[in-house]
Structure formats: structure tokens, C-alpha cells
Amino acid sequence: MNSLKKLRALKKYCPQAYKFVIFKFKDTYLNVENGEYSINLPTSKEFKFVYGQIKLIYRVKNKGIKFIDLEPSDFFIDGYRFDLEVYKSIYYRNAKDKFKIDLMLEMKKGGKINE
């Protein structure tokens, strides 16, 4: 799937990470040698628990940037294809995601993970 479509989903579902890519990424990561790189984008603790770290994979060639992929890929593909529902203030795709959200909230309640 086109990485630009995933960036559109990033804009909708993770605006903090999207703003980092738009406003801070080029200044910080453009002055490197040609090659393929990946960086971790700002990710909320809740999103990281349910889906994992948001990671941008890109290629630099002659001071030009080409976005290769955005992870977690499945989340952003689904987020682009259809509007995701919200469950307890977190976007979800299916019953598995809802289970992870409930698990995270129970662990927070029980003091097993920090907020």
C-alpha cells in the first residue's frame, strides 16, 4: 500500500506523530548520507501498548526523502480504508484491539503499569 495513504491515516489517528513528521523531521533527519533509515515517532503510551511503537521507514537519496513505510502497518492501512471506531477514547479495529484496550485499562487500575 502507498505510504502516502498511511501518512493520511497517521494525520487522522495520531496527530502528534504527524506534526513531528511535517514540522521537525526534515530539519533533523535530512542531513544524512544516502541510505535507508527508520525513526520512532512520538507515540502515546496507550497506542504503544495496543498497537506498538509508531515507526517511519524512509530512504534518503541525493538529499531527497522518500517515505517507504509506516508501522504498525495494519493499523494505518485499516485506518485509511475505513473510519475506525472509538472504544474508551482509543481507536480500535476489531475485538482483539478492544481486548487489549480493556487489558491495559485493568492493568492501570491495578497499578501494574504507570500512566
Side-chain angles (χ1 to χ4, degrees):
M1 173 162 279
N2 188 341
S3 60
L4 294 178
K5 292 178 181 179
K6 291 179 188 176
L7 281 175
R8 287 186 199 144
L10 178 71
K11 181 179 182 179
K12 182 174 184 175
Y13 299 110
C14 304
Q16 181 184 13
Y18 181 78
K19 287 178 183 177
F20 178 87
V21 170
I22 297 304
F23 297 113
K24 296 181 180 176
F25 173 75
K26 285 186 179 180
D27 298 334
T28 308
Y29 297 97
L30 183 58
N31 298 321
V32 294
E33 293 187 22
N34 290 344
E36 194 167 307
Y37 300 92
S38 70
I39 60 165
N40 291 334
L41 299 179
T43 309
S44 70
K45 290 178 184 178
E46 292 83 7
F47 189 93
K48 198 180 291 188
F49 185 91
V50 178
Y51 302 107
Q53 175 69 44
I54 301 173
K55 187 181 292 188
L56 178 67
I57 301 165
Y58 65 100
R59 181 177 295 131
V60 175
K61 186 174 182 181
N62 301 326
K63 301 232 179 220
I65 296 175
K66 181 177 181 184
F67 296 126
I68 304 297
D69 202 3
L70 189 62
E71 295 176 355
S73 191
D74 292 344
F75 176 83
F76 292 114
I77 289 170
D78 290 345
Y80 179 79
R81 288 185 182 155
F82 53 88
D83 286 336
L84 301 180
E85 298 290 323
V86 176
Y87 178 69
K88 297 185 179 180
S89 74
I90 299 173
Y91 290 104
Y92 76 96
R93 298 168 301 158
N94 53 36
K96 182 179 174 185
D97 291 349
K98 283 175 113 175
F99 174 78
K100 287 181 182 178
I101 293 167
D102 285 335
L103 177 65
M104 175 191 63
L105 294 174
E106 284 300 315
M107 289 175 73
K108 275 186 178 181
K109 239 193 276 185
K112 300 287 184 195
I113 58 175
N114 297 329
E115 292 196 40

